[in-house]
Amino acid sequence: MSICDKDHLNQSSRHVAFQDADHVVTQIQKVTAELGEVPANLSSSARQGKGAPTHEAKQQLEQLTRQRDDLIRQWNVREALKYFWKVPGSEAEGTDSVSGSKCSGPWEPFDPQKFCQILDGRSVLIVGDSISMLLADAIRFNVRLGAKDEASRVRWDEPTGYCQRLRNATKKPWDPKCWTADLCGGLGFSVRLFFVRDYYLNSTEAVNNFMADKSFDESWMGEIAALNISIVVMNRGAHYISDDQFERQMQSTLLALRQTYPDLLIIVRNTLAGHPGCWLHNEPVRDVLKLPHDDWHWDGFAAQNDILKRLAEGVGGVYMDVNVSTVWRADGHIGRRDCLHYCHPGPVDTWVQLLHKMLQGLLVENT
């Protein structure tokens, strides 16, 4: 993560640059539409008689195109930040140059104000391994863009209660496994964000042996009521076990969650495989990379995601598919032989956009 820390400073300018370029592209589309409304077989005088600004429009189009290209060249961020996911749709405006699928265009930039307004009065728990922590941090980084001043920007708080007890028990006190933050106070909303790191999402124990002493037997699940959690975003992590073990463990956890907290919104994120040789890629891949069968078992994640989807929906949970956009992103990884984790900012920001849209549908549009 530290390799990418320098890019935190670029995130604000990144969004401004995208919005500026997007505004210019909108102008280009408008002028192009005006040109397209003029029949090509009309004479010059007939065209002018139609009131179509042919010559002026062409000049304006050329000027706007140069302006757009200049903005893109001046976009002084890592190459991995210059790509945005286009949502596949039946009413397509174009074709995704990466996947070749029809697309409805890039999602609008993340809006911290709207995100916090949807969640106002709620508490959210992100639980999983270090990839889930990437998501928790990405939420925090994106929301902090809307903070009114430096003092109100989102930071992890000093731990209390469960987080403090877990930290005291951890085998690595310099690597805390539990965080909490006032996510939206700087924007005038009341939203708490919690993160608990648990590789296996065990329903009876808080952590596994990588995390804390065996004497620590408090489950994060038991803290949901105490912390007033209303939304859980969970993922078991990229720590492979057999399909049979995986299904038994996830079924036990999901059933325990639903039976104990019948009104809890359970969002289950699928598990990403890494990208072999990611350091060779400086842009999204055009074909899904072939995954080797090795000790990491990345080639087994797809089958377990199918199991996960079935189990999640079976208890009334919502399946969050981040793989559909991230499978192409061999670029943007931390690198130095780490081809699983991503830099901040980077492809994980798209997960925040997806979560925003899911919550919009689940909490606003369906009420």
Side-chain angles (χ1 to χ4, degrees):
M1 181 118 31
S2 60
I3 297 171
C4 313
D5 282 348
K6 62 182 182 296
D7 292 307
H8 291 171
L9 300 174
N10 290 334
Q11 187 155 3
S12 179
S13 60
R14 166 202 175 197
H15 283 262
V16 172
F18 173 69
Q19 291 168 357
D20 288 347
D22 191 50
H23 176 67
V24 173
V25 169
T26 300
Q27 290 181 288
I28 290 173
Q29 291 172 341
K30 180 180 178 181
V31 175
T32 303
E34 290 176 357
L35 286 172
E37 290 174 359
V38 182
N41 59 356
L42 286 184
S43 65
S44 176
S45 58
R47 284 171 177 265
Q48 296 300 328
K50 286 280 184 180
T54 54
H55 179 67
E56 292 81 0
K58 286 181 179 179
Q59 284 186 324
Q60 186 180 3
L61 182 60
E62 290 173 0
Q63 180 181 359
L64 287 168
T65 302
R66 285 194 299 270
Q67 185 180 350
R68 178 201 61 190
D69 293 343
D70 286 342
L71 278 168
I72 292 173
R73 279 192 295 270
Q74 294 168 18
W75 201 353
N76 188 26
V77 293
R78 288 180 289 111
E79 286 301 310
L81 300 181
K82 298 183 180 180
Y83 297 92
F84 293 85
W85 175 242
K86 293 181 177 180
V87 187
S90 56
E91 297 180 1
E93 296 178 0
T95 301
D96 185 358
S97 61
V98 176
S99 66
S101 63
K102 292 294 184 180
C103 305
S104 60
W107 283 339
E108 63 185 29
F110 177 78
D111 188 326
Q113 190 81 20
K114 291 180 180 178
F115 183 75
C116 288
Q117 186 174 10
I118 291 172
L119 290 174
D120 192 29
R122 294 181 170 93
S123 294
V124 181
L125 170 64
I126 311 289
V127 59
D129 68 349
S130 55
I131 305 299
S132 287
M133 188 166 184
L134 285 179
L135 174 59
D137 275 333
I139 292 171
R140 190 167 58 93
F141 294 150
N142 277 275
V143 169
R144 71 184 291 179
L145 293 176
K148 299 173 183 177
D149 50 55
E150 181 65 27
S152 60
R153 288 190 171 182
V154 185
R155 295 176 176 83
W156 293 120
D157 298 334
E158 285 299 314
T160 59
Y162 175 80
C163 278
Q164 183 62 59
R165 296 193 297 274
L166 177 55
R167 286 195 184 195
N168 291 342
T170 187
K171 292 181 175 181
K172 297 179 179 180
W174 61 88
D175 185 16
K177 303 303 189 294
C178 186
W179 297 94
T180 177
D182 174 6
L183 184 64
C184 298
L187 295 173
F189 298 98
S190 176
V191 181
R192 296 294 302 178
L193 176 68
F194 297 89
F195 169 75
V196 174
R197 187 168 176 175
D198 183 358
Y199 292 171
Y200 298 130
L201 299 182
N202 196 305
S203 60
T204 57
E205 298 176 1
V207 290
N208 59 65
N209 291 339
F210 292 104
M211 300 269 298
D213 294 331
K214 292 181 180 179
S215 60
F216 188 83
D217 60 359
E218 291 186 63
S219 170
W220 55 266
M221 197 176 295
E223 292 297 303
I224 289 176
L227 298 174
N228 197 28
I229 302 293
S230 56
I231 302 168
V232 171
V233 183
M234 58 193 296
N235 173 266
R236 192 200 156 279
H239 304 271
Y240 184 82
I241 54 177
S242 70
D243 290 355
D244 288 342
Q245 287 178 297
F246 176 85
E247 182 162 4
R248 285 197 303 270
Q249 191 179 85
M250 286 307 305
Q251 185 174 46
S252 172
T253 298
L254 287 167
L255 284 174
L257 258 184
R258 178 53 71 216
Q259 290 169 0
T260 310
Y261 306 105
D263 297 326
L264 183 70
L265 173 55
I266 303 172
I267 300 176
V268 183
R269 177 180 64 79
N270 61 4
T271 301
L272 297 168
H275 294 89
C278 65
W279 56 88
L280 301 174
H281 299 276
N282 58 10
E283 62 180 14
V285 295
R286 296 181 178 276
D287 298 295
V288 177
L289 298 181
K290 181 176 176 58
L291 298 173
H293 182 69
D294 56 19
D295 292 343
W296 297 109
H297 294 279
W298 286 349
D299 59 329
F301 287 0
Q304 294 194 353
N305 282 334
D306 290 340
I307 296 172
L308 188 63
K309 185 175 189 294
R310 170 169 52 82
L311 293 177
E313 293 176 348
V315 298
V318 181
Y319 182 75
M320 180 178 178
D321 187 358
V322 298
N323 192 60
V324 67
S325 64
T326 319
V327 67
W328 313 103
R329 301 308 304 270
D331 61 323
H333 283 286
I334 287 180
R336 293 188 184 178
R337 308 291 171 169
D338 183 346
C339 292
L340 181 64
H341 299 84
Y342 282 102
C343 291
H344 277 310
V348 178
D349 290 327
T350 303
W351 305 1
V352 181
Q353 290 178 296
L354 173 59
L355 181 61
H356 183 185
K357 290 182 176 295
M358 291 175 69
L359 293 173
Q360 173 75 27
L362 292 166
L363 301 179
V364 179
E365 295 172 4
N366 289 343
T367 57

